Amino acid sequence: MIKVAVLPGDGIGPEIVDGAMVVINKVAEVFGIDFSFHYGQFGGVAYDASGSPFPEETRKLVLDSDAVFLGSVGGPQWDNLDRTLRPESGLLALRKSLGLYCNLRPVKYYNLLESKVIWKPGYLDGVDIVIFRELTGGAYFGEKGRTDDGAYDTISYTREEIYRLVERGFELAQKRKKVLHSIDKANVLETSRLWREVVAEVNQKYPDVKVEHLYVDNAALQLVINPKQFDVIVTENMFGDILSDQAASIAGSLGMLPSASLGGKVNLYEPSHGSAPDIAGEDKANPIATILSIALMLRFTCSNEHAAQAVEKAVDKVLAAGYATGDIAGPESKIVGTKEMAELIANSIN
Ligand code: NAD
């Protein structure tokens, strides 16, 4: 029995989660996986109900689960709250309480979304990248402060923090194309020089994986001019934050980007986008990022690669049949809403 804490959250969160639940229930039936789902309040709706975006009851629920499945949080009605009470603070607290040090973001180009990307036709064919971003170290968590006339942030990493993240990248690279790009700024940063040493050390354990080191500035350029060279990328927190958003432009819409945050006993699966208040409640949201996050849960929490691939193939099939939500629709698309898109995908799973 796999116990999943389901936190729909705010804005489009409940709609995309409902859609993904249709898919996961179909997967459970087809592959005989025994799930139990437990809903919790999280984000702005939780603040409204209890005064906290991450109430104690939800904290207990997630810590007592095998996985957390999250919609999205936030919205203008909570923007003026004290920083610690805002829905987004709940998200940071959730990730921290689960000890999730590895953020994994697959970025795939779908030919059918050609009209949605800025590249020339054919340029992105076959692009399929997985980015591993370190999530709990580096500048965002280092000592920071103000001096009389300035401010500082500190980047620090331990060998262990780098090792555990990098090793996950090698594990996946070995199962894919056996190429790993490690991105750093070793020409100026000491933490990056340590990063390279650790990558070389882990490489000895995975000698069949070819490592390419790139400076982050060059990596940003290469992602634009030659994205096909990348397969698996490992990088530190801030570089990963920036590069994963840059790479998102390859997918054609925020609504296509799933994510998994791994490393704790309980892992977290959520779409990469926010709560899209501009389209909330209108059955317009693209549920695919959320549905592909379910595929990641099947892969990483359930260790069921067949089921994960079945979901990914079902998405491919529905897109290939010409169905699209508004954000990914081209001139020939059959436009459907959130609910119908989810049902079409669920019905394509076999
Ligand atoms: P957003 O990702 O919510 O929306 C940006 C644009 O993309 C909007 O036009 C929206 O309509 C569109 N969009 C996003 N997801 C879509 C989907 N699935 N289908 C179709 N279109 C989609 O970012 P934002 O507008 O900057 O932020 C809105 C709220 O979400 C804010 O309160 C922000 O803090 C919060 N946020 C939450 C998360 C999270 O829950 N992990 C992440 C980012 C932002």
Side-chain angles (χ1 to χ4, degrees), residues 12 72-75 79 88 91 95 254-255 270 272-279 285-286 327:
I12 58 171
S72 53
V73 296
D79 279 354
E88 295 81 357
L91 203 52
R95 288 176 183 150
L254 275 171
E270 58 177 327
S272 298
H273 56 73
S275 61
D278 51 331
I279 53 168
N286 184 347
D327 58 312

Side-chain angles (χ1 to χ4, degrees), residues 23-35 37 298:
V23 174
I24 199 168
N25 283 322
K26 181 68 186 287
V27 171
E29 185 191 313
V30 171
F31 290 88
I33 306 172
D34 201 5
F35 287 109
F37 299 109
L298 292 163

Side-chain angles (χ1 to χ4, degrees), residues 107-115 117 119-129 177 223-231 250-251:
V107 180
K108 186 174 162 185
Y109 172 63
Y110 292 84
N111 301 43
L112 295 146
L113 306 190
E114 195 169 88
S115 64
V117 297
W119 282 265
K120 285 186 199 143
Y123 204 75
L124 295 178
D125 286 356
V127 171
D128 181 357
I129 304 170
K177 294 186 179 163
L223 269 171
V224 177
I225 62 172
N226 185 13
K228 279 185 199 171
Q229 69 186 288
F230 296 106
D231 188 55
I250 290 169

Side-chain angles (χ1 to χ4, degrees), residues 280-295:
E282 296 181 16
D283 193 40
K284 282 187 183 162
N286 184 347
I288 294 180
T290 318
I291 290 169
L292 291 173
S293 303
I294 288 292

Side-chain angles (χ1 to χ4, degrees), residues 6-226:
V6 184
L7 313 179
D10 309 316
I12 58 171
E15 297 163 69
I16 52 178
V17 164
D18 279 356
M21 293 305 289
V22 175
V23 174
I24 199 168
N25 283 322
K26 181 68 186 287
V27 171
E29 185 191 313
V30 171
F31 290 88
I33 306 172
D34 201 5
F35 287 109
S36 72
F37 299 109
H38 304 263
Y39 281 72
Q41 284 203 323
F42 187 66
V45 285
Y47 171 79
D48 287 348
S50 67
S52 163
F54 186 26
E56 191 50 35
E57 205 177 320
T58 305
R59 184 185 299 270
K60 281 191 190 133
L61 169 66
V62 300
L63 290 173
D64 185 39
S65 300
D66 299 306
V68 180
F69 176 43
L70 175 69
S72 53
V73 296
Q77 61 272 55
W78 300 289
D79 279 354
N80 295 325
L81 288 175
D82 182 75
R83 190 177 52 81
T84 56
L85 296 174
R86 288 186 53 168
E88 295 81 357
S89 302
L91 203 52
L92 291 181
L94 172 65
R95 288 176 183 150
K96 200 169 169 202
S97 69
L98 297 178
L100 303 172
Y101 64 81
C102 171
N103 183 241
L104 179 148
R105 262 206 218 186
V107 180
K108 186 174 162 185
Y109 172 63
Y110 292 84
N111 301 43
L112 295 146
L113 306 190
E114 195 169 88
S115 64
K116 297 285 158 186
V117 297
I118 53 174
W119 282 265
K120 285 186 199 143
Y123 204 75
L124 295 178
D125 286 356
V127 171
D128 181 357
I129 304 170
V130 181
I131 301 176
F132 286 85
R133 164 189 168 195
E134 202 288 326
L135 204 57
T136 52
Y140 299 172
F141 291 87
E143 194 189 328
K144 53 189 83 235
R146 290 282 175 133
T147 57
D148 287 346
D149 62 349
Y152 60 92
D153 296 284
T154 316
I155 304 177
S156 79
Y157 269 111
T158 65
R159 201 170 268 279
E160 165 58 21
E161 282 172 328
I162 302 169
Y163 196 106
R164 63 188 184 179
L165 184 279
V166 164
E167 183 162 39
R168 283 183 175 262
F170 272 100
E171 271 166 16
L172 190 68
Q174 197 172 54
K175 290 185 196 141
R176 288 172 51 114
K177 294 186 179 163
K178 301 192 192 307
V179 178
L180 178 127
H181 284 81
S182 174
I183 293 173
D184 61 40
K185 189 70 183 166
N187 48 345
V188 286
L189 295 179
E190 199 53 43
T191 42
S192 284
R193 286 192 270 273
L194 177 65
W195 186 278
R196 279 201 187 200
E197 276 173 39
V198 175
V199 169
E201 192 184 330
V202 185
N203 199 181
Q204 287 173 6
K205 230 172 129 180
Y206 300 84
D208 53 338
V209 175
K210 184 169 180 283
V211 174
E212 302 276 356
H213 295 281
L214 282 186
Y215 296 139
V216 62
D217 40 352
N218 183 29
L221 173 70
Q222 295 299 325
L223 269 171
V224 177
I225 62 172
N226 185 13

